């Protein structure tokens, strides 16, 4: 069997995080992701080569999803300040067309 | 009254820390954190967990390190944001004054027949493959439209010395125009030096022209890589290097090497050749996946991992030589170290985001076609005209610089919005290379987990950070390279 089915808690993970993790490992894996009626995220991992998907690869994928959840939290919490820093940085650069003059 | 405020004046007022934007990457049991401008530190997984879950103490070594690297701040601490903004602006300072490098392909003719060469022609038909004076004048019109205060005109080919009369005419005309333009004007001839003579050297001396040549390593390797009638490319190149130094000065000639399959087992021999010829730096370059290199299967001859092994051996050897007192810098490492260890961006075309195409360089082909980069014109040689921005005779500067052929790849490949790059801790050290990804995958972004560009740059950044953090003897050498 080449495929492995995994389930993630929809309350602590997100489809976006699972998608990003799958993309990050797309040199070795492909897969399908769907949200179940109960909110869980179901993911079918598909091997790209002839070798079946081992436990190590599943473990790595699960950890990658956890990291993507962390990255999402960092993005969300710092988005405002990131935009502020960029706005201040470029405000006097002449690179932003203000429509004046 | 003391001139200095007490230390507790600068201490945190509470444990109410706020995260600033940062990215992380797990490597060798540690976690690399980089902030918005690429300042870095390594922490443990446990410390990352505490940072992201808001469980940092009021003070302590970790908090001080995170605060110093602009990874956290206290909500009322406006200075942190102002400093970070200043550093971001410093990093992007080159953007408003774009396009300093203008490449004039004065001929495609060449007496060498290097299998990895993208563009050269074995032809005596001057009319067909030489740039005309009319085309050169139009290219100069466009060159001086660039807002950059620095203008470097680089003569390329083929072998540009085969059309030396045009080189002299362009130099003299550019100098004439510069009397009113007042730019910081520089000229470089990229030549194999086989045709160098006293007349050419006299002209270069009078007009402060620099020489860039090819030196692929020891005699047998160089002559195998770069065949010409007489099989004496290495002899002519090294004699030319000596002659340029004698007549013009030591700093007036630089050399570049190209890695071929035959080079991969010989990094030390190649480096020794550069030391023997007293070059202060070497650029260990990968083979480009463009033009004839792909057509002749040279590019598929080895993969990124084999090249990385070559690079690692070379870097280790160069550092070893430095420990022995030999002053030799590896140029790619120096470029990336500047991005890792300073807030400056050296503006190297391949490691810029927005990409360097058009912004850092423009290439004027012999027939007047304008390309977003030298690699763009190489692709055109295998009938891929994706990066052709226009023609000097048919299009205005505005039409060329605002063309979809330039703006679309710039926008699509911008690393801060590219999948995976946007979350990559190495992004501040890397760049966007839409030409590479177009050539290898057919789109401007590419799939990063499969990208040789991504793999190569992440691996080199990891190598350099590892040596910088864990090798106290290498650290001052790497710091010195970053400052060059």
């Amino acid at each position: 069997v080449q495929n492995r089915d995994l389930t993630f808690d929809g309350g602590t993970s997100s489809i976006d995080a699972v998608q990003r993790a799958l993309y990050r490992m797309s040199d070795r894996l492909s897969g399908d992701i769907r949200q179940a009626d109960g909110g869980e995220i179901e993911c079918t991992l598909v091997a790209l080569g002839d070798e079946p998907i081992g436990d190590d690869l599943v473990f790595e994928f699960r950890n990658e999803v956890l990291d993507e959840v962390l990255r999402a939290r960092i993005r969300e919490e710092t988005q405002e300040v990131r935009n502020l820093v960029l706005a201040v940085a470029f405000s006097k650069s002449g690179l932003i067309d203000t429509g004046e003059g | 009254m003391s001139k200095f405020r007490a230390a507790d004046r600068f201490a945190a007022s509470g444990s109410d820390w706020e995260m600033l934007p940062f990215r992380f990457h797990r490597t060798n049991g540690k976690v690399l954190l980089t902030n918005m401008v690429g300042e870095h530190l390594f922490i443990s997984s446990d410390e990352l967990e505490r940072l992201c879950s808001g469980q940092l103490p009021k003070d302590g070594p970790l908090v001080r390190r995170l605060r110093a690297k602009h990874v956290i701040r206290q909500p009322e601490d406006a200075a942190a944001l102002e400093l970070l903004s200043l550093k971001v602006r410093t990093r992007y300072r080159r953007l408003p004054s774009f396009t300093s490098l203008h490449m004039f392909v004065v001929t495609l003719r060449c007496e060498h027949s290097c299998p990895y060469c993208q563009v050269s022609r074995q032809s005596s038909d001057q009319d067909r493959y030489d740039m005309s004076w009319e085309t050169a004048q139009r290219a100069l019109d466009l060159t001086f439209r660039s807002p950059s205060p620095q203008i470097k005109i680089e003569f390329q080919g083929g072998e540009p010395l085969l059309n030396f009369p045009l080189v002299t005419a362009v130099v003299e005309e550019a100098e004439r125009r510069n009397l009113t333009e007042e730019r910081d004007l520089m000229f470089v001839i990229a030549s194999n030096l086989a045709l160098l003579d006293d007349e050419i050297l006299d002209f270069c001396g009078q007009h402060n022209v620099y020489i860039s040549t090819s030196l692929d390593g020891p005699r047998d390797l160089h002559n195998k890589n770069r065949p010409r009638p007489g099989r004496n490319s290495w002899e002519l190149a090294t004699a030319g290097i000596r002659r340029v130094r004698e007549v013009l000065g030591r700093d007036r000639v630089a050399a570049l090497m190209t890695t071929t399959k035959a080079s991969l087992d010989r990094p030390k021999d190649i480096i020794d050749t550069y030391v023997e010829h007293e070059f202060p730096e070497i650029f260990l370059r990968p083979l480009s996946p463009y033009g004839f290199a792909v057509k002749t299967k040279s590019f598929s001859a080895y993969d990124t991992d084999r090249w990385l092994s070559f690079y690692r051996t070379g870097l280790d050897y160069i550092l070893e030589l430095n420990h022995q007192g030999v002053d030799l810098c590896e140029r790619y490492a120096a470029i990336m170290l500047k991005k890792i260890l300073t807030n400056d961006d050296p503006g190297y075309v391949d490691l810029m985001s927005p990409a360097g195409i058009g912004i850092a360089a423009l290439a004027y082909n012999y027939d007047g076609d304008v390309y977003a980069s030298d690699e763009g014109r190489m692709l055109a040689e295998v009938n891929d005209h994706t990066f052709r921005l226009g023609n000097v005779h048919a299009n205005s500067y505005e039409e060329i610089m605002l063309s979809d052929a330039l703006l679309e790849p710039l926008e699509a490949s911008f690393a801060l919005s590219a999948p995976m790059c946007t979350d990559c801790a190495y992004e501040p050290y890397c760049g966007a290379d839409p030409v590479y990804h177009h050539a290898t995958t057919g789109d401007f972004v590419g799939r990063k987990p499969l990208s040789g560009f991504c793999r190569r740059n992440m691996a080199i950044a990891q190598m350099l950070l590892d040596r910088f953090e864990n090798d106290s003897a290498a650290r001052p050498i790497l710091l010195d390279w970053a400052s060059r």
Side-chain angles (χ1 to χ4, degrees):
Chain A
V1 177
Q2 301 294 310
N3 300 351
R4 292 284 292 263
D5 291 322
L6 306 176
T7 304
F8 294 88
D9 180 348
T12 53
S13 299
S14 67
I15 287 217
D16 185 59
V18 179
Q19 276 176 337
R20 283 174 187 261
L22 193 53
Y23 182 82
R24 196 172 276 267
M25 293 177 67
S26 62
D27 54 336
R28 288 169 288 164
L29 291 170
S30 183
D32 293 318
I33 303 163
R34 60 209 160 266
Q35 189 120 34
D37 291 341
E40 299 91 359
I41 298 158
E42 295 174 348
C43 178
T44 302
L45 296 181
V46 180
L48 291 183
D50 296 333
E51 291 290 312
I53 298 169
D55 289 344
D56 284 355
L57 200 53
V58 171
F59 183 70
E60 190 182 338
F61 179 71
R62 283 194 174 280
N63 279 344
E64 202 59 64
V65 172
L66 288 176
D67 275 353
E68 290 300 339
V69 171
L70 270 188
R71 290 190 176 101
R73 191 186 304 166
I74 296 163
R75 267 197 307 273
E76 190 181 330
E77 286 188 24
T78 63
Q79 189 177 11
E80 234 172 80
V81 74
R82 179 174 180 269
N83 291 338
L84 181 62
V85 168
L86 290 174
V88 172
F90 290 109
S91 62
K92 292 174 185 169
S93 66
L95 288 171
I96 297 174
D97 183 3
T98 59
E100 294 170 9
Chain B
M1 194 176 110
S2 168
K3 287 183 178 176
F4 299 101
R5 289 174 175 164
D8 59 4
R9 167 68 179 73
F10 301 96
S13 57
S15 57
D16 191 14
W17 295 109
E18 177 182 284
M19 283 193 290
L20 292 168
F22 71 90
R23 288 169 279 193
F24 70 87
H25 181 86
R26 296 178 195 276
T27 174
N28 297 327
K30 290 184 174 178
V31 183
L32 168 70
L33 301 191
T34 59
N35 71 6
M36 283 182 82
V37 289
E39 292 169 331
H40 76 277
L41 75 160
F42 285 92
I43 63 174
S44 68
S45 291
D46 178 55
E47 289 169 332
L48 176 67
E49 189 59 44
R50 274 189 279 152
L51 164 63
C52 291
S53 57
Q55 293 174 355
L56 291 172
K58 178 181 176 186
D59 199 6
L62 173 65
V63 162
R64 278 176 239 154
R65 288 173 68 215
L66 292 170
R67 199 180 178 193
K69 295 289 183 182
H70 297 312
V71 174
I72 57 170
R73 69 156 191 159
Q74 295 206 296
E76 71 275 15
D77 182 7
L81 293 189
E82 283 167 20
L83 268 173
L84 203 48
S85 300
L86 190 62
K87 289 173 179 178
V88 170
R89 187 152 59 197
T90 303
R91 207 167 184 89
Y92 289 106
R93 71 187 166 86
R94 291 174 200 275
L95 275 182
S97 52
F98 47 89
T99 325
S100 59
L101 175 60
H102 296 263
M103 290 168 276
F104 282 56
V105 182
V106 292
T107 180
L108 287 191
R109 291 182 296 130
C110 187
E111 23 59 77
H112 277 59
S113 50
C114 311
Y116 58 64
C117 180
Q118 330 291 348
V119 292
S120 72
R121 295 286 189 284
Q122 307 293 306
S123 172
S124 55
D125 186 349
Q126 293 187 18
D127 291 339
R128 186 165 178 199
Y129 294 120
D130 282 13
M131 182 182 272
S132 70
W133 174 230
E134 291 71 28
T135 299
Q137 282 180 302
R138 287 292 301 131
L140 276 174
D141 292 344
L142 297 175
T143 297
F144 280 102
R145 288 294 310 279
S146 295
S148 176
Q150 286 93 33
I151 297 282
K152 183 199 280 186
I153 294 177
E154 185 172 296
F155 298 101
Q156 293 209 0
E159 169 50 52
L161 296 186
L162 282 169
N163 194 8
F164 192 63
L166 187 73
V167 172
T168 61
V170 170
V171 168
E172 286 167 353
E173 174 64 10
E175 286 176 336
R176 190 189 65 74
R177 295 187 189 201
N178 203 42
L179 292 175
T180 49
E181 289 282 349
E182 297 183 329
R183 312 290 182 98
D184 181 3
L185 188 60
M186 181 184 181
F187 302 102
V188 178
I189 300 176
S191 166
N192 58 43
L193 300 182
L195 304 171
L196 187 71
D197 61 25
D198 288 345
E199 184 193 344
I200 292 168
L201 282 170
D202 281 349
F203 181 85
C204 292
Q206 287 165 20
H207 296 271
N208 205 26
V209 179
Y210 285 72
I211 303 291
S212 174
T213 193
S214 294
L215 185 61
D216 279 5
R219 182 195 311 252
D220 64 308
L221 178 62
H222 180 100
N223 283 341
K224 184 180 178 187
N225 280 354
R226 303 178 60 79
R228 76 179 298 278
R231 296 177 183 175
N232 59 350
S233 176
W234 189 88
E235 286 79 356
L236 292 172
T238 52
I241 290 166
R242 279 194 298 276
R243 192 81 185 107
V244 172
R245 285 173 172 165
E246 282 166 11
V247 177
L248 303 179
R250 294 202 64 76
D251 67 326
R252 294 287 287 278
V253 59
L256 283 174
M257 59 82 61
T258 298
T259 313
T260 62
K261 189 180 178 186
S263 317
L264 288 175
D265 295 326
R266 304 182 63 183
K268 292 184 180 181
D269 292 343
I270 294 167
I271 292 161
D272 283 340
T273 304
Y274 274 70
V275 173
E276 281 162 24
H277 289 85
E278 299 178 358
F279 281 104
E281 66 176 40
I282 184 170
F283 199 155
L284 297 176
R285 298 194 305 166
L287 185 64
S288 303
Y290 309 113
F292 287 177
V294 171
K295 207 172 176 180
T296 59
K297 307 292 182 196
S298 303
F299 180 65
S300 58
Y302 62 94
D303 61 19
T304 305
D305 287 343
R306 281 202 70 195
W307 182 83
L308 280 170
S309 168
F310 162 85
Y311 184 83
R312 184 185 295 277
T313 305
L315 183 67
D316 288 348
Y317 185 52
I318 291 168
L319 288 171
E320 189 185 314
L321 287 171
N322 274 270
H323 293 322
Q324 294 167 14
V326 177
D327 182 17
L328 182 68
C329 165
E330 201 287 302
R331 174 49 43 196
Y332 201 80
I335 291 166
M336 201 174 271
L337 283 163
K338 191 176 276 297
K339 290 162 79 82
I340 292 173
L341 300 175
T342 79
N343 293 136
D344 197 7
D345 188 304
Y348 176 60
V349 180
D350 293 355
L351 290 180
M352 290 172 64
S353 177
I357 56 168
I359 294 176
L362 282 171
Y364 308 98
N365 211 3
Y366 70 101
D367 56 3
D369 280 350
V370 183
Y371 290 94
S373 70
D374 203 27
E375 290 76 11
R377 78 154 168 134
M378 292 170 187
L379 279 181
E381 294 301 326
V382 287
N383 294 318
D384 181 344
H385 299 279
T386 305
F387 296 95
R388 180 184 174 278
L389 309 182
N391 187 284
V392 298
H393 298 291
N395 300 102
S396 67
Y397 179 74
E398 286 75 12
E399 286 169 343
I400 287 168
M401 295 305 287
L402 297 174
S403 62
D404 288 344
L406 179 58
L407 297 185
E408 278 182 18
L410 279 176
E411 188 177 348
S413 65
F414 186 48
L416 286 177
S417 57
M420 239 171 86
C421 295
T422 183
D423 285 326
C424 180
Y426 299 99
E427 185 276 328
Y429 315 144
C430 195
D433 196 339
V435 189
Y436 176 96
H437 288 110
H438 171 79
T440 53
T441 69
D443 75 71
F444 299 134
V445 183
R447 289 182 60 193
K448 303 307 178 187
L450 299 167
S451 162
F453 176 85
C454 179
R455 189 178 186 83
R456 170 160 47 93
N457 286 317
M458 281 180 70
I460 293 175
Q462 282 166 359
M463 264 184 238
L464 295 172
L465 281 166
D466 181 50
R467 296 301 288 257
F468 185 76
E469 294 292 327
N470 303 312
D471 183 347
S472 57
R475 198 178 173 115
I477 298 165
L478 300 179
L479 273 169
D480 176 48
W481 291 2
S483 67
R484 294 190 185 193

